[in-house]
Amino acid sequence: MKLKLYITALCTCILFLSIYGSISATSNQTNIISDGMTIPDNNAEIYYELQGILNTNGYNNYYSNEQVLFDDYELGDIIWQYTLTIYDPSPKAIAPIPDVNNDGIDDVIVCSEDDYVRCFDGSAIGTGSILWEHNIYSGDVYNQNGLDIINDVDSDGYKDIVVGAAWGARLIRCISGDSGTEIWTHDTHEYGSGGWVYMVNSSYDYDSDGILDVLAATGDDSSDTGPKRVYCLDGETGISIWERPLGGPVFSVIGVEDFTGDGHPDVIAGCSNNAETIGYAKGINGDTGAEIWSFATPGSSVWALEQIDDITSDGIKDVIIGDFSGNIFGLDATNGNVEFSKSIGCSGC
């Protein structure tokens, strides 16, 4: 039985409430309405005061034709919500995006099981408002790692969105943050029947053109002819800068600071062998795509990756990984050697 899922705004308003507790107004207030909201006198100069921190920008007609004030919201109060009613609409990934409708409030990207990517108005009151929606035919974003916000790709002044799709779509797509239109798509069906895209990451510029590029972790198909590789795609066009096959499904990938000493950012990936019985962390040269080192784990795959501070005192930031059997390893980023390890146990392994 499917439950209706409510999406609470992850937006600047929520952040303000979390930090300051409540929002009140210093202007003249009349016409008290329900839920602690007020509408000020016409043409009144409105201010938002965050526990003594005053934003002196005027907000007349700030919310379309209404002049609405937040009044004494408590921590955790719902500012807005939206119910997805289509079959199996469960949200899989949510991320804030800098303001795309020019109202001064950051907006919210939501990827759901119904094959849609939607942009919600972060400044909505009560009921969420969709600014745009984008359908990915026959595929949805598998989890939170399949969504990333990228710098402005199409030079329209707004940040854009990168998603990786699973199921039948099996693609990496860049979407306009302003309009929701497709900028480019890289289809993994170029290898067999394609592979699910488990993670996308757009942290670094690998071809030195001033635009952040896109890393993607891809799986296999049912015939063992799928991509099973890390893609490094040009952020502007979606064309491969390099690709690194890893011999089994790749579940995670992140860009990291240079660990090869060539002045270019590098890459860490998490994958499995072809039989999915052994997990691996892989260090990859970000300039060439060459595999630099490989670390095998007791668990059958590696999904968790992060760059951490330098723990080897060599001046290079290192990495931490987690495998499917509950093991955590701190690795020297230059060669994959273990610096520390910890097991948190495994249920059902």
Side-chain angles (χ1 to χ4, degrees):
M1 177 179 179
K2 299 293 180 181
L3 297 176
K4 290 185 177 179
L5 300 174
Y6 290 90
I7 304 168
T8 301
L10 297 178
C11 60
T12 303
C13 294
I14 287 288
L15 295 177
F16 284 165
L17 289 173
S18 297
I19 296 170
Y20 299 105
S22 63
I23 300 177
S24 59
T26 60
S27 62
N28 294 329
Q29 299 175 357
T30 60
N31 303 326
I32 303 298
I33 59 177
S34 62
D35 298 326
M37 293 163 52
T38 64
I39 300 177
D41 292 329
N42 290 336
N43 301 318
E45 186 176 11
I46 304 169
Y47 298 97
Y48 284 78
E49 184 177 5
L50 309 176
Q51 285 195 350
I53 299 177
L54 190 63
N55 179 348
T56 57
N57 293 321
Y59 284 92
N60 290 332
N61 298 317
Y62 191 70
Y63 294 102
S64 300
N65 295 321
E66 296 180 347
Q67 296 172 315
V68 179
L69 290 147
F70 301 115
D71 188 17
D72 296 328
Y73 273 95
E74 299 295 333
L75 281 170
D77 283 357
I78 294 174
I79 296 176
W80 60 259
Q81 63 185 17
Y82 188 93
T83 305
L84 298 170
T85 58
I86 303 172
Y87 171 72
D88 201 3
S90 55
K92 297 300 184 184
I94 303 176
I97 187 170
D99 179 26
V100 299
N101 63 341
N102 302 312
D103 65 0
I105 302 294
D106 287 357
D107 299 305
V108 186
I109 302 298
V110 178
C111 304
S112 50
E113 188 81 12
D114 60 353
D115 302 347
Y116 273 90
V117 178
R118 294 178 175 90
C119 182
F120 286 85
D121 183 356
S123 64
I125 300 294
T127 300
S129 174
I130 297 174
L131 299 177
W132 55 254
E133 57 184 20
H134 179 97
N135 177 249
I136 301 174
Y137 177 73
S138 189
D140 60 67
V141 173
Y142 182 67
N143 61 19
Q144 183 67 40
N145 288 340
L147 167 66
D148 202 7
I149 307 301
I150 191 171
N151 282 352
D152 183 14
V153 171
D154 54 3
S155 302
D156 63 357
Y158 299 91
K159 287 198 172 184
D160 298 308
I161 299 146
V162 175
V163 295
W167 302 102
R170 304 183 182 194
L171 54 79
I172 305 111
R173 178 167 292 173
C174 185
I175 301 169
S176 168
D178 177 37
S179 65
T181 56
E182 176 185 333
I183 297 175
W184 55 255
T185 292
H186 193 109
D187 191 344
T188 71
H189 288 85
E190 61 190 335
Y191 299 103
S193 297
W196 284 22
V197 182
Y198 294 100
M199 186 169 184
V200 291
N201 180 271
S202 56
S203 301
Y204 293 95
D205 176 13
Y206 288 96
D207 58 3
S208 303
D209 65 355
I211 297 176
L212 296 181
D213 298 309
V214 178
L215 300 172
T218 61
D220 199 2
D221 62 11
S222 59
S223 303
D224 197 27
T225 57
K228 297 180 288 186
R229 66 192 59 219
V230 170
Y231 284 96
C232 181
L233 305 178
D234 186 310
E236 188 173 21
T237 65
I239 296 172
S240 291
I241 298 171
W242 53 256
E243 300 174 13
R244 172 47 48 192
L246 292 179
V250 186
F251 298 109
S252 53
V253 65
I254 59 171
V256 296
E257 294 181 17
D258 176 30
F259 62 72
T260 59
D262 61 3
H264 296 277
D266 293 309
V267 177
I268 302 293
C271 63
S272 184
N273 65 339
N274 202 43
E276 297 191 47
T277 57
I278 304 172
Y280 291 95
K282 305 278 188 175
I284 301 172
N285 185 301
D287 185 37
T288 66
E291 183 178 316
I292 303 300
W293 54 259
S294 178
F295 173 75
T297 68
S300 60
S301 59
V302 172
W303 290 64
L305 305 168
E306 190 60 75
Q307 186 165 50
I308 58 177
D309 287 337
D310 177 18
I311 59 174
T312 56
S313 302
D314 61 359
I316 298 172
K317 287 186 177 181
D318 295 302
V319 296
I320 190 168
I321 69 164
D323 75 4
F324 234 39
S325 292
N327 300 298
I328 299 169
F329 299 94
L331 305 180
D332 184 330
T334 66
N335 55 29
N337 288 345
V338 177
E339 299 301 320
F340 66 82
S341 63
K342 175 72 175 178
S343 175
I344 59 174
C346 179
S347 175
C349 294

